[in-house]
Structures are given as structure tokens and as C-alpha cells.
């Protein structure tokens, strides 16, 4: 029986089923890699240390040392998105990120985290950014700022959805038309695009959170 059939659930939408599958898979990998942490790590521990170290360096490069406190959020998003993107490359499986609901849920988490960080860092003064530098411009600036902030989760959602859904459609068409050698370059391109879209999502998330921490001008 194909694994795809085992993930079919009449009570859950496919994107929820596959998102849960990815979550359980990542938890299992984490457990297996950390149950016996050794000074001389095995292959699995080596891979995870490389991934975690790379993410830590990337976060510090963008956000500085203060970004380390957001490592759990950013790393979780990055690893989940990348795994979800790559899952769709396996024939018979679907990417949870090829559904807008999955991406919107992550985008809302980033959106709420951004403003929670802003209020926690600056208090009520954080809201001054919505009225602009001059109080007389407040009636004009408030709607502009609200639209600007609301567009962030919408942009995160549709950017990731459009690219990953497009990949899945292209892969299906190519496999139907030429199921032997032609899909190989497509697989390489899909892996590249999956990595790029993961970087774009977490990079924007870090920029939004870092911007909320900065002192408003």
C-alpha cells in the first residue's frame, strides 16, 4: 500500500493531514538524534547540528545577538516549511504549504509575534508609528499603516502558496507528458525553489520582528 493512502483521512483536509505528518516526522527525527547525544556525533546528529548551526548563524547575521531569543520561532518555521516544501516532490505526497490555509496560519503567527514584540519592547509608544511623525497627518497615516501591516501576512501567504502550488502542478504535468528522464531537471529546480522560498519566508519574518524591536522614528 502506498504511504499516500495511509495519510488519507475523511475527517481532515489533506493539508492538515500532511502538516501533522510533517510535524510528527520532525519530532521523531529530533528524538532519534538527541536521545543519545555524543561528543563524536553520528550521521543524524551531524546533520541536525549542521542545520541548527546554520540557522543560528543566519539569524544572528540578520538580527544580531538579540535574534537568538527568537531562534525557536524562526527555526521551527524554517525547518517545517522546508520539509513541507520538499514533501511535495515525492510522488503521491502533497506539500502542506501548497495550501493557503497552512501558509496563512504561519503568517498570522509571524504577524502577531511582530506586534507582541513591539508592544513588549516599547510599550504603548509602539502604537505611535501608526499615526506618523505629525499628529495632523494621523487621519491619513493610520489607514496607510494598517493596510501596510495587514498586507504582510497576505504577502507571506500568497508568495509561498503560489510558488509551491505552481511547482506541484508543473511536476504533475511533466510526469504525465514525459515520465522518464525529463522530470529529473524539474526535481532539481523544485528543490532549489523550495529552499529559496523557505529562506524568503523566514527572512521576511526576521525583518518584521527586528523592525518591531527597533526604536520608532
Amino acid at each position: 500500500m502506498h504511504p499516500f493512502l495511509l495519510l488519507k483521512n475523511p475527517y481532515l483536509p489533506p493539508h492538515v493531514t500532511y502538516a501533522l505528518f510533517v510535524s510528527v516526522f520532525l519530532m521523531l527525527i529530533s528524538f532519534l538524534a538527541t536521545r543519545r547525544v555524543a561528543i563524536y556525533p553520528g550521521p543524524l546528529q551531524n546533520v541536525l547540528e549542521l542545520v541548527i548551526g546554520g540557522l543560528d548563524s543566519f539569524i544572528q547575521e540578520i538580527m544580531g545577538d538579540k535574534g537568538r531569543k527568537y531562534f525557536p520561532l524562526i527555526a521551527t518555521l524554517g525547518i517545517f516549511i522546508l520539509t513541507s516544501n520538499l514533501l511535495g516532490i515525492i510522488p503521491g505526497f502533497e506539500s502542506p504549504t501548497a495550501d493557503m490555509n497552512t501558509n496563512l496560519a504561519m503568517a498570522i503567527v509571524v504577524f502577531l509575534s511582530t506586534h507582541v514584540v513591539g508592544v513588549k519592547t516599547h510599550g504603548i509608544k509602539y502604537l505611535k508609528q501608526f499615526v506618523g511623525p505629525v499628529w495632523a497627518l494621523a487621519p491619513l497615516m493610520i489607514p496607510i499603516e494598517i493596510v501596510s501591516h495587514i498586507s504582510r501576512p497576505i504577502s507571506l501567504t500568497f508568495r509561498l502558496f503560489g510558488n509551491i502550488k505552481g511547482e506541484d502542478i508543473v511536476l504533475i504535468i511533466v510526469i504525465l507528458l514525459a515520465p522518464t528522464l525529463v522530470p529529473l531537471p524539474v526535481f532539481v529546480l523544485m528543490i532549489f525553489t523550495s529552499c529559496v522560498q523557505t529562506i524568503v519566508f523566514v527572512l521576511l519574518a526576521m525583518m518584521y520582528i527586528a523592525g518591531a524591536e527597533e526604536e520608532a522614528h
Side-chain angles (χ1 to χ4, degrees), residues 128-147:
K128 290 178 64 178
Q129 65 172 312
F130 290 93
V131 300
V134 181
W135 283 99
L137 296 176
L140 176 64
M141 294 300 299
I142 290 176
I144 294 176
E145 289 293 335
I146 290 176
V147 171

Side-chain angles (χ1 to χ4, degrees), residues 21-37 43-49 51-52 79 83:
F21 172 76
V22 171
S23 301
V24 172
F25 171 75
L26 291 176
M27 287 189 290
L28 178 61
I29 292 297
S30 301
F31 171 74
L32 294 176
T34 58
R35 62 175 179 168
R36 293 179 181 176
V37 178
L44 186 57
Q45 185 181 334
N46 251 328
V47 171
L48 284 186
E49 286 182 356
V51 171
I52 298 301
I79 295 173
T83 307

Side-chain angles (χ1 to χ4, degrees), residues 109-128:
V109 169
V110 173
F111 175 79
L112 295 177
S113 300
T114 299
H115 295 294
V116 168
V117 168
V119 173
K120 185 177 179 181
T121 304
H122 304 289
I124 196 66
K125 293 182 180 180
Y126 175 73
L127 301 178
K128 290 178 64 178

